[in-house]
């Protein structure tokens, strides 16, 4: 499916790893969007699978998740991280033992085929033989790093890079809005920043002057995370959340990621977030 779409909708594929129930791909688009490419690949695969195994209905859960990353900073890191998936999952002992990824192509054990290896190998040396050896050492060194959460927090609009890269990208492409409300999104017509501040003040029992400035106490940090988390659900733009919290766009993204991790792992955080969401809806509706 990838080979067919690379001809029809040209793109660069730097890494892939097919796991038991999902696939990771590192793609650089050309003319067509990632959304269109993934739609063609995943729809085509679903139809093929259903036809082959005589099944009906949805095969894949939800739409694909994508991260826009800074290539010069993260290209090699992401190639390594994607190819190490089978080792972290304890499916193989060595990366080269897994045949459903692009790693063996980088080592010269298989023909290039789908994978565009040259842009990555150039980071490791001018001559292909020495570059392959350096790449192999680089991947082996990554086996000690373990799971890296930042490569998985891939909500729509997620940008991975330096603060300067994130700010420049947002300036270039503008704010990203969601046409379809995400699951759990607050059902209020327009985002109301004043209602959110009031809700956080009341539930967290901390004045906005503390969490909207440079306050670094545990309470202020938690309040900011709740503003960002609830604000996203209520349809706030990244720019609005930056203005409310006094944080840069990249910091807002990191705080949002941190809050989501806590939301999954900490019952107290889930309870706090639910209380703020309920309070926000009540205040926003009364002010509408």
């Amino acid at each position: 499916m990838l080979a067919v779409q690379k001809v029809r909708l040209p793109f660069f594929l730097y890494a892939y790893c097919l796991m038991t129930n999902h696939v990771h791909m590192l793609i650089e688009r050309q003319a067509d969007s990632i959304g269109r490419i993934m739609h063609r690949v995943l729809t085509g695969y679903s139809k093929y699978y259903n036809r082959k195994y005589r099944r009906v209905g949805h095969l894949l859960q939800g739409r694909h998740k994508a991260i826009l990353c800074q290539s010069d900073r993260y290209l090699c890191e992401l190639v390594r991280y994607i190819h190490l998936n089978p080792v972290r999952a304890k499916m193989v002992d060595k990366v080269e033992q897994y045949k459903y990824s692009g790693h063996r192509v980088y080592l010269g054990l298989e023909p290039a085929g789908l994978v565009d290896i040259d842009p990555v190998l150039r980071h490791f040396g001018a001559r292909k033989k020495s570059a392959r050896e350096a790449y192999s050492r680089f991947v082996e060194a990554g086996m000690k790093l373990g799971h890296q959460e930042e490569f998985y927090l891939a909500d729509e609009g997620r940008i991975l890079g330096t603060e300067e890269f994130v700010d420049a990208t947002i300036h270039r492409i503008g704010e990203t809005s969601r046409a379809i409300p995400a699951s759990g999104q607050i059902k209020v017509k327009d985002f109301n920043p004043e209602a959110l501040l009031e809700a956080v003040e009341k539930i967290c029992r901390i004045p906005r002057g503390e969490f909207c400035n440079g306050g670094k106490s545990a309470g202020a940090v938690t309040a900011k995370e709740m503003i960002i988390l609830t604000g996203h659900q209520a349809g706030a733009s990244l720019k609005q959340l930056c203005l409310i919290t006094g944080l840069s766009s990249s910091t807002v993204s990191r705080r949002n990621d941190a809050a989501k991790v806590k939301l999954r792992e900490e019952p107290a955080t889930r309870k706090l977030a639910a209380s703020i969401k309920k309070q926000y809806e009540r205040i926003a509706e009364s002010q509408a």
Side-chain angles (χ1 to χ4, degrees):
M1 295 297 172
L2 283 170
V4 169
Q5 296 308 324
K6 277 198 78 176
V7 174
R8 294 177 179 172
L9 309 173
F11 58 87
F12 299 106
L13 178 68
Y14 298 128
Y16 75 90
C17 186
L18 178 64
M19 301 295 281
T20 54
N21 65 352
H22 64 281
V23 59
H24 293 271
M25 287 181 281
L26 182 56
I27 289 175
E28 182 180 354
R29 60 184 286 275
Q30 293 187 45
D32 292 280
S33 69
I34 292 295
R36 189 179 183 203
I37 293 167
M38 293 306 300
H39 176 74
R40 290 282 188 89
V41 171
L42 299 181
T43 299
Y45 179 74
S46 296
K47 289 180 178 178
Y48 151 77
Y49 190 95
N50 286 349
R51 185 170 60 250
K52 181 177 175 66
Y53 295 102
R54 298 179 182 180
R55 67 181 301 280
V56 294
H58 294 291
L59 173 66
L60 303 168
Q61 180 180 334
R63 73 188 299 278
H64 73 280
K65 295 183 182 295
I67 298 174
L68 173 64
C69 75
Q70 185 176 8
S71 60
D72 57 347
R73 184 179 178 90
Y74 284 100
L75 178 63
C76 297
E77 287 283 349
L78 284 167
V79 169
R80 172 169 72 176
Y81 193 76
I82 287 170
H83 289 160
L84 279 171
N85 265 281
V87 177
R88 285 194 301 274
K90 303 188 185 304
M91 299 170 75
V92 293
D93 294 322
K94 296 182 179 180
V95 197
E96 58 268 25
Q97 293 172 341
Y98 196 73
K99 62 180 181 178
Y100 302 109
S101 83
H103 179 70
R104 291 171 59 84
V105 175
Y106 278 93
L107 298 182
L109 300 176
E110 292 181 5
L114 285 173
V115 189
D116 300 288
I117 63 173
D118 289 341
V120 177
L121 286 180
R122 278 197 289 269
H123 286 260
F124 295 95
R127 296 185 178 182
K128 189 159 283 189
K129 183 179 179 180
S130 59
R132 290 187 196 276
E133 293 171 352
Y135 163 81
S136 180
R137 292 193 297 270
F138 174 72
V139 173
E140 287 178 12
M143 292 174 66
K144 302 175 184 178
L145 297 177
H147 179 79
Q148 291 175 260
E149 187 68 25
E150 64 182 331
F151 297 152
Y152 283 86
L153 298 170
D155 286 346
E156 193 71 26
R158 167 75 170 157
I159 303 172
L160 185 63
T162 63
E163 185 170 328
E164 292 78 11
F165 173 77
V166 174
D167 290 339
T169 302
I170 291 171
H171 178 73
R172 187 171 69 251
I173 66 177
E175 295 290 345
T176 302
S177 59
R178 294 183 178 181
I180 302 173
S183 176
Q185 190 165 4
I186 295 171
K187 297 177 181 179
V188 174
K189 195 171 185 180
D190 295 306
F191 172 60
N192 186 329
E194 180 59 31
L196 179 57
L197 289 171
E198 283 188 34
V200 172
E201 278 184 315
K202 185 168 184 177
I203 301 300
C204 294
R205 297 180 181 179
I206 180 171
R208 68 181 69 184
E210 187 171 336
F211 59 74
C212 285
N213 292 322
K216 295 184 179 179
S217 66
V221 170
T222 298
K224 285 185 180 183
E225 288 179 350
M226 291 301 102
I227 286 174
I228 294 166
L229 190 67
T230 309
H232 270 299
Q233 293 176 344
S237 68
L238 182 59
K239 184 177 180 180
Q240 286 175 311
L241 293 175
C242 290
L243 290 172
I244 293 170
T245 60
L247 300 173
S248 68
S249 55
S250 59
T251 303
V252 167
S253 295
R254 288 197 298 270
R255 290 285 175 85
N256 188 47
D257 294 342
K260 286 184 176 179
V261 172
K262 291 179 183 178
L263 204 63
R264 290 197 304 268
E265 299 177 353
E266 300 175 4
T269 300
R270 287 196 294 273
K271 184 177 179 180
L272 178 64
S275 297
I276 292 173
K277 175 183 173 183
K278 187 176 181 179
Q279 185 69 28
Y280 169 77
E281 289 177 328
R282 186 182 296 118
I283 296 171
E285 287 174 3
S286 68
Q287 294 178 356

